[in-house]
């Protein structure tokens, strides 16, 4: 079965109507563009394997704006639903019941797990759809503008694989599965998500439709160790919280929200990525369970550093107060 048909069947099978990629519409635009470009070449006696003009009126005016809006709608919908689901899962006591009541959510714990599984599938299948339609664009135009558009989408933070909530959902399923196994209960979670180690380095992996595999490297690129107390910046890169504070030139006492807008991500060098950071609580639980010995050692080091920074902060505050 062709992916286009499989994708349409998947989207039509969803209980709630969700935003998606207009595969048929976008392919029709590309077909019109190719037909128009080839007809112009025929008139001028030009070979068909010439590239599309740098500013194609058909593509620039319709294809890319349409895809941009669809990508924005997809990632917005996914982030909102995933955030609500994880907030409910991590809540405890009265707060959990309050969220259930406020959101008028119905169903059991199993329904919560199923919704998480559906969201992971939704994210990955749309990521594949976007990749395929951009690949189709480059094939039609003999160009690399589709890949350039993907880079532009990443800089605009509308690439769904950049979403921190996808990472959190994957960790959420692994945590639930391990909890069920330890308690002797039959796991009902998503079996496609798992934690792997390659040369001692941890990766969060997910498979879809036996052909699509997505990996997230859990090594902090600053300390070159497994992420501890992980956070995701708005550019999608994951770091240890303390490492991110160091990169943003702020103390742990003041936190990442105190970072200046000019401060850049250590990896992609994008500015202004600290203000909207996300604490990855589910991932933190997963690393703590899977690397318990490392976690305990790192915890002792972090506590000592936090105490040191807190002491320096209050000493400087006291000196400023007394005018020293």
């Amino acid at each position: 079965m062709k992916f286009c048909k499989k994708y349409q069947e998947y989207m039509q099978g969803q209980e709630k109507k969700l935003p998606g990629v207009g595969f048929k519409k976008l392919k029709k635009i590309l077909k019109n563009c190719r037909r128009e470009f080839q007809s112009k070449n025929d008139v001028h006696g030009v070979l068909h394997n010439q590239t599309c003009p740098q500013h194609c009126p058909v593509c620039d005016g319709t294809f890319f704006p349409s895809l941009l809006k669809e990508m924005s709608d997809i990632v917005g919908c996914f982030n909102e639903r995933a955030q609500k689901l994880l907030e409910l899962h991590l809540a405890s006591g009265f707060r959990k019941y309050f969220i259930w009541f406020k959101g008028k959510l119905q169903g059991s714990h199993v329904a919560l797990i199923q919704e998480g599984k559906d969201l992971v599938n939704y994210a990955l299948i749309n990521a594949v759809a976007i990749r395929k339609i951009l690949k189709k664009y480059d094939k039609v135009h003999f160009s690399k503008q589709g890949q350039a558009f993907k880079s532009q989408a990443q800089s605009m933070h509308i690439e769904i694989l950049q979403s921190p909530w996808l990472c959190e959902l994957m960790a959420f399923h692994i945590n639930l599965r391990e909890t069920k196994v330890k308690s002797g209960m039959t796991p009902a979670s998503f079996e496609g998500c798992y934690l792997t180690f390659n040369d001692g380095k941890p990766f969060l992996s997910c498979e879809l439709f036996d052909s699509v595999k997505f990996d997230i490297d859990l090594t902090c690129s600053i300390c070159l160790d497994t992420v501890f107390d992980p956070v995701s910046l708005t550019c999608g890169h994951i770091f240890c919280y303390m490492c991110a504070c160091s990169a943003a030139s702020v103390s742990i006492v003041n936190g990442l929200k105190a970072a200046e807008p000019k401060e850049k991500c250590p990896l992609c060098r994008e500015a202004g990525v600290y203000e909207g950071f996300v604490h990855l609580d589910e991932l933190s639980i997963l690393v703590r369970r899977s690397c318990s010995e490392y976690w305990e050692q790192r915890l002792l080091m972090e506590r000592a550093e936090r105490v040191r920074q807190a002491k320096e902060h209050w000493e400087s505050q006291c000196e400023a107060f007394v005018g020293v």
Side-chain angles (χ1 to χ4, degrees):
M1 183 187 296
K2 287 187 177 181
F3 178 81
C4 182
K5 189 174 181 181
K6 183 185 289 187
Y7 178 77
Q8 287 178 333
E9 288 182 358
Y10 169 82
M11 294 301 294
Q12 290 171 358
Q14 299 303 301
E15 292 182 6
K16 298 178 181 178
K17 189 175 181 181
L18 302 174
V21 179
F23 233 97
K24 277 191 172 181
K25 179 184 71 177
L26 293 173
K27 286 179 75 175
K28 188 176 180 180
I29 293 171
L30 290 179
K31 192 176 289 184
N32 291 339
C33 177
R34 177 162 52 184
R35 190 183 301 118
E36 181 178 323
F37 185 54
Q38 288 181 351
S39 64
K40 288 180 180 178
N41 286 344
D42 289 338
V43 171
H44 297 93
V46 182
L47 294 175
H48 293 333
N49 62 349
Q50 298 295 313
T51 59
C52 178
Q54 186 65 28
H55 298 287
C56 171
V58 177
C59 299
D60 292 349
T62 312
F63 180 85
F64 286 127
S66 296
L67 185 56
L68 198 67
K69 184 181 183 307
E70 288 166 356
M71 290 177 71
S72 180
D73 291 343
I74 289 167
V75 77
C77 173
F78 173 79
N79 286 345
E80 183 182 358
R81 293 185 62 184
Q83 190 172 356
K84 286 181 179 178
L85 184 146
L86 291 167
E87 182 185 9
L88 174 60
H89 178 246
L90 292 169
S92 59
F94 177 77
R95 176 170 169 74
K96 176 171 282 194
Y97 290 104
F98 177 76
I99 295 173
W100 276 105
F101 179 77
K102 184 180 178 181
K104 297 180 181 179
L105 299 172
Q106 302 294 329
S108 61
H109 192 64
V110 175
L112 196 71
I113 296 171
Q114 183 60 45
E115 184 178 355
K117 177 181 176 180
D118 291 343
L119 281 172
V120 173
N121 279 330
Y122 173 72
L124 294 186
I125 197 170
N126 275 289
V128 175
I130 292 164
R131 186 188 69 188
K132 284 187 176 292
I133 198 66
L134 288 175
K135 192 175 179 181
K136 180 77 173 176
Y137 174 92
D138 284 342
K139 185 179 179 181
V140 167
H141 296 84
F142 302 97
S143 74
K144 293 184 179 180
Q145 291 183 55
Q147 293 304 311
F149 172 79
K150 189 176 181 181
S151 299
Q152 180 191 353
Q154 289 175 345
S155 67
M156 295 173 67
H157 308 146
I158 57 171
E159 164 62 67
I160 197 163
L161 296 182
Q162 283 181 297
S163 173
W165 302 111
L166 177 57
C167 176
E168 279 286 83
L169 278 176
M170 290 164 67
F172 159 77
H173 284 293
I174 300 170
N175 288 333
L176 280 176
R177 185 166 65 241
E178 291 181 355
T179 302
K180 295 283 185 180
V181 170
K182 287 180 180 179
S183 62
M185 299 173 66
T186 304
S189 56
F190 186 22
E191 297 295 331
C193 297
Y194 46 90
L195 181 69
T196 59
F197 290 86
N198 187 4
D199 294 330
K201 294 185 177 181
F203 290 85
L204 204 56
S205 302
C206 188
E207 290 186 357
L208 177 68
F209 299 137
D210 300 324
S211 59
V212 180
K213 188 176 180 183
F214 174 57
D215 295 320
I216 300 175
D217 189 354
L218 300 182
T219 299
C220 174
S221 60
I222 298 176
C223 66
L224 303 179
D225 217 331
T226 302
V227 287
F228 179 87
D229 191 17
V231 292
S232 175
L233 307 185
T234 54
C235 58
H237 293 121
I238 299 173
F239 303 97
C240 306
Y241 182 77
M242 187 175 288
C243 293
C245 286
S246 176
S249 303
V250 295
S251 68
I252 300 173
V253 178
N254 293 325
L256 286 178
K257 289 186 178 179
E260 294 289 334
K262 65 179 182 180
E263 297 297 339
K264 299 177 180 179
C265 169
L267 272 180
C268 64
R269 308 306 296 165
E270 182 181 343
V273 294
Y274 292 96
E275 185 180 359
F277 79 95
V278 175
H279 237 122
L280 303 178
D281 296 320
E282 288 285 354
L283 180 59
S284 185
I285 294 169
L286 175 61
V287 175
R288 187 178 72 225
R289 287 177 173 177
S290 305
C291 312
S292 55
E293 187 176 340
Y294 160 75
W295 188 269
E296 290 298 327
Q297 292 175 355
R298 187 73 183 263
L299 183 61
L300 293 174
M301 293 170 58
E302 294 266 329
R303 280 177 178 170
E305 180 61 21
R306 285 173 184 265
V307 169
R308 186 189 69 78
Q309 289 195 26
K311 185 178 178 181
E312 288 182 355
H313 173 77
W314 289 114
E315 283 178 354
S316 65
Q317 291 293 310
C318 290
E319 287 174 359
F321 180 73
V322 298
V324 177

